[in-house]
Amino acid sequence: MAKAASSLALPIIFLVLLSLGEQNMGSIMCDLLIGPCAKFPDCDNSCRDKLGPDSNGFCDIKAKNYCHCKYDCWNAKTPV
């Protein structure tokens, strides 16, 4: 009986990991710098215009004041 239970453990673990992977397929985030913050004063709206409604943006001081967009790689518009 112990052997039968152990032979089922590996397929069950595989199925659980597979189902967890499918749930997270759409959550991979990408980054894009679209230009200087002076050119795009509202980075958040500029990112939404270029990459779709699920993206967001901010003025990244570390990137020399460039608009930094984060968007869902799978569901966004094609970056320009």
Side-chain angles (χ1 to χ4, degrees):
M1 185 69 171
K3 189 173 184 179
S6 65
S7 66
L8 290 176
L10 191 59
I12 290 172
I13 291 170
F14 176 74
L15 290 173
V16 168
L17 291 175
L18 182 65
S19 67
L20 291 174
E22 286 179 4
Q23 290 176 356
N24 293 326
M25 285 302 288
S27 64
I28 298 172
M29 299 300 283
C30 289
D31 296 310
L32 179 69
L33 297 175
I34 60 171
C37 296
K39 184 177 177 184
F40 301 100
D42 188 354
C43 290
D44 200 34
N45 280 334
S46 297
C47 289
R48 285 193 181 109
D49 287 344
K50 291 187 175 294
L51 301 168
D54 294 330
S55 63
N56 58 24
F58 59 95
C59 186
D60 193 352
I61 297 169
K62 292 179 184 176
K64 299 181 180 178
N65 290 328
Y66 267 68
C67 283
H68 188 153
C69 301
K70 289 198 166 281
Y71 62 98
D72 185 359
C73 299
W74 298 103
N75 297 324
K77 296 177 186 176
T78 305
V80 177

